């Protein structure tokens, strides 16, 4: 497939990238004065900070998140496709960031911090290798774009939050190093029984064997990674829970704002992917009425790992003050993410979500013990790597032209 961008559009994108790159490259830690000096708490992925006394800690936390941006001069996608994702890959990069955060929590822990001047842990290098822009990296732009073709998205077309969530779910199946269960909760409903069946497939739920189809066929290992020293009898496969949501028509319904803020306060939070129409961001927290986010809209050269497997990683960390936007500017189509390393963490998440529902604001989704009779099961929809319902799902979550009815309590 040959990818060609309209010349005028390409010129505009290049001009925009030059401006954006200059903005990013000229900002440094010393220019953090634009971050609000406020007594209001700063929340970043489940951790609370004081902007007046913990600025260095805030910066360290933000910088330690994996920052995936547009890249250029990588091998052609599909052999003959684009060599840059500038102008169309922002939601794909946001998907990489939210999954990258899950892998960091999985292998390094939420409290891990990046230090560019120190030798990096092997697990960290293995995580980065999973996202390098080449066809054989598990979560590369190549893999996401080509898997998206099966979702009805040609290479070079913009994704919405639901599409990227579905693609990540499929790609995670092949990552036997991390052994994640990526579950995409549809219809604004999280079914506890369904998740426990997926994360503990050796247990019998509802009188039927829940061993996932094709589970015995999974193999492969991450290049440069050591196998995890886990017992075969581990009681829980780590969960990445992605919940595509629509929180309004053309604008976010203000009734959801407090509930959305609460999501960033949960210790299991992976953040939110969304943004503005056709301009995606990875939201990692909030302060006051502003969301804090990482912006993928800067074009950097593709990175090539060294011969010893090490990765030059400075461009994978945002070393400038975090971006902010008013929460009311958020496009209503989002996907919220959560990570539960253990069953206890998932049970704790369920308890906290139920508390949030009683704290005011409109619940963004429903948490139920078992599947309601009106819902179509995942198995019935056959949501496997070859499922065919993506068009229907995509029309609901990613269309800007469809009309939606917002149901209130």
């Amino acid at each position: 497939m040959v990818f060609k961008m309209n010349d005028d559009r390409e010129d505009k994108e290049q001009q925009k990238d030059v401006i954006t790159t200059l903005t990013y490259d000229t900002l440094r830690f010393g220019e953090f004065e634009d971050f609000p000096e406020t007594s209001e708490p700063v929340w970043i992925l489940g951790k609370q900070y004081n902007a007046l006394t913990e600025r260095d800690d805030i910066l360290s936390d933000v910088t330690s998140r994996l920052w995936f941006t547009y890249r250029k001069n990588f091998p052609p996608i599909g052999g003959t496709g684009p060599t840059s994702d500038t102008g169309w890959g922002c939601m794909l990069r946001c998907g990489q960031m939210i999954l990258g955060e899950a892998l960091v929590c999985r292998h390094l822990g939420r409290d891990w911090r990046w230090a560019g001047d120190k030798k990096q842990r092997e697990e960290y290098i293995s995580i980065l290798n999973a996202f390098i822009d080449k066809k054989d990296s598990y979560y590369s732009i190549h893999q996401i774009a080509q898997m998206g073709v099966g979702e009805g998205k040609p290479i070079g077309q913009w994704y919405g939050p639901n599409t990227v969530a579905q693609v990540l779910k499929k790609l995670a199946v092949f990552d036997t190093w991390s052994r994640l269960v990526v579950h995409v909760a549809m219809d604004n409903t999280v079914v506890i029984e369904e998740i426990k069946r997926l994360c503990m497939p050796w247990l019998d739920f509802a009188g039927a064997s829940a061993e996932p189809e094709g589970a015995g066929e999974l193999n492969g290992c991450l290049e440069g990674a050591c196998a995890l020293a886990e017992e075969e009898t581990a009681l829980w496969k780590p969960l990445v829970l992605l919940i595509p949501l629509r929180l309004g028509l053309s604008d976010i319904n203000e009734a959801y704002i407090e509930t959305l803020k609460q999501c960033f306060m949960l210790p299991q939070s992976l953040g939110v992917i969304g943004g503005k129409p056709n301009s995606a961001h990875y939201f990692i927290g909030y302060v006051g009425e502003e969301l804090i986010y990482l912006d993928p809209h800067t074009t950097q050269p593709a990175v090539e790992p060294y011969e010893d497997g090490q990765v030059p990683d400075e461009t994978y960390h945002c070393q400038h003050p975090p971006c902010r936007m008013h929460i009311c500017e958020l496009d209503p189509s989002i996907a919220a993410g959560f990570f539960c390393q253990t069953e206890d963490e998932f049970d704790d998440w369920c308890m906290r979500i139920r508390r949030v529902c009683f704290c005011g604001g409109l619940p963004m989704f429903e948490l139920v013990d078992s599947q309601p009779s009106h819902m179509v099961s995942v198995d019935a929809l056959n949501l496997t790597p070859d499922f065919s319902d993506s068009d229907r799902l995509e029309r609901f979550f990613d269309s800007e032209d469809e009309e939606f009815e917002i149901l209130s309590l």
Side-chain angles (χ1 to χ4, degrees):
M1 176 179 179
V2 178
F3 181 90
K4 184 177 181 180
M5 184 182 289
N6 177 275
D7 291 341
D8 291 339
R9 179 184 171 192
E10 186 173 12
D11 290 341
K12 291 179 181 178
E13 289 293 342
Q14 289 175 346
Q15 292 172 7
K16 180 177 71 174
D17 287 330
V18 169
I19 295 173
T20 307
T21 303
L22 287 175
T23 301
Y24 282 132
D25 289 347
T26 54
L27 282 171
R28 277 295 179 250
F29 285 132
E31 300 181 46
F32 196 50
E33 64 273 8
D34 67 329
F35 201 81
E37 294 187 2
T38 175
S39 58
E40 293 188 272
V42 177
W43 284 95
I44 296 177
L45 300 177
K47 292 194 175 293
Q48 182 179 356
Y49 296 99
N50 185 316
L52 299 176
T53 61
E54 298 178 297
R55 289 194 170 205
D56 289 344
D57 294 330
I58 294 172
L59 279 170
S60 177
D61 199 348
V62 172
T63 302
S64 297
R65 302 313 106 213
L66 292 179
W67 181 44
F68 295 114
T69 71
Y70 290 149
R71 296 277 173 173
K72 62 183 180 180
N73 301 326
F74 50 67
I77 297 177
T80 58
T83 59
S84 172
D85 60 312
T86 298
W88 59 271
C90 55
M91 183 60 79
L92 285 70
R93 296 301 185 178
C94 289
Q96 287 181 323
M97 284 190 271
I98 199 169
L99 188 65
E101 177 62 18
L103 293 182
V104 168
C105 291
R106 167 75 169 109
H107 298 293
L108 301 171
R110 173 63 181 88
D111 293 329
W112 172 83
R113 293 294 180 265
W114 177 74
D117 57 346
K118 296 182 180 179
K119 180 177 174 58
Q120 304 299 337
R121 289 171 54 178
E122 184 176 1
E123 296 91 340
Y124 166 78
I125 298 301
S126 296
I127 291 171
L128 276 188
N129 270 303
F131 294 94
I132 294 294
D133 297 312
K134 57 182 182 179
K135 65 179 182 179
D136 55 349
S137 296
Y138 283 135
Y139 307 110
S140 66
I141 193 78
H142 299 65
Q143 292 284 1
I144 296 176
Q146 291 188 288
M147 188 66 79
V149 173
E151 299 287 325
K153 290 291 187 180
I155 295 173
Q157 184 170 336
W158 195 85
Y159 283 24
N162 176 63
T163 296
V164 77
Q166 298 290 351
V167 167
L168 293 175
K169 172 185 173 181
K170 294 180 180 182
L171 293 177
V173 169
F174 303 100
D175 180 4
T176 55
W177 177 55
S178 298
R179 297 180 67 250
L180 297 174
V181 169
V182 177
H183 178 64
V184 183
M186 302 306 299
D187 299 318
N188 302 334
T189 305
V190 177
V191 182
I192 295 174
E193 180 184 272
E194 183 176 34
I195 288 175
K196 292 203 171 186
R197 174 168 56 85
L198 292 169
C199 293
M200 299 183 289
W202 34 85
L203 297 183
D204 183 63
F205 284 84
S209 175
E211 182 70 21
E213 182 179 352
E217 302 171 4
L218 306 185
N219 55 41
C221 59
L222 198 60
E223 181 179 355
C226 293
L228 289 178
E230 293 181 313
E231 297 181 6
E232 293 297 325
T233 56
L235 297 179
W236 179 268
K237 290 185 177 181
L239 170 69
V240 175
L241 176 59
L242 301 175
I243 312 175
L245 299 164
R246 193 166 185 95
L247 305 182
L249 298 177
S250 58
D251 301 304
I252 186 172
N253 186 333
E254 293 187 5
Y256 292 114
I257 288 179
E258 290 305 315
T259 313
L260 179 60
K261 288 181 178 181
Q262 291 281 332
C263 286
F264 293 109
M265 299 167 66
L266 299 176
Q268 299 87 354
S269 176
L270 291 177
V272 168
I273 54 175
K276 301 177 181 178
N278 295 329
S279 181
H281 304 308
Y282 173 42
F283 297 94
I284 58 174
Y286 79 94
V287 54
E289 299 303 311
E290 291 184 315
L291 295 174
I292 301 170
Y293 66 92
L294 297 179
D295 190 346
H297 297 90
T298 225
T299 303
Q300 304 186 91
V303 169
E304 185 68 29
Y306 299 129
E307 291 184 2
D308 61 358
Q310 295 294 308
V311 179
D313 64 339
E314 286 194 358
T315 62
Y316 288 106
H317 295 276
C318 183
Q319 300 179 64
H320 61 74
C323 301
R324 292 176 287 116
M325 62 176 271
H326 196 280
I327 196 167
C328 290
E329 297 177 20
L330 180 68
D331 186 89
S333 181
I334 67 170
F338 304 94
F339 176 73
C340 300
Q341 180 92 289
T342 65
E343 184 181 8
D344 286 344
E345 289 185 10
F346 177 65
D347 291 339
D348 178 76
W349 179 84
C350 292
M351 178 190 68
R352 292 172 184 269
I353 288 296
R354 287 184 167 126
R355 286 179 181 174
V356 167
C357 293
F358 293 102
C359 292
L362 195 62
M364 298 192 302
F365 55 87
E366 186 178 7
L367 178 66
V368 297
D369 290 320
S370 57
Q371 184 166 279
S373 58
H374 68 272
M375 285 183 62
V376 180
S377 71
V378 172
D379 293 334
L381 285 178
N382 190 30
L383 295 184
T384 64
D386 293 317
F387 80 95
S388 59
D389 294 88
S390 60
D391 289 341
R392 176 183 67 81
L393 301 174
E394 186 69 16
R395 282 197 299 272
F396 183 82
F397 287 102
D398 295 333
S399 171
E400 297 174 16
D401 301 320
E402 298 285 346
E403 293 184 356
F404 301 90
E405 179 182 5
I406 302 300
L407 302 179
S408 58
L409 298 177

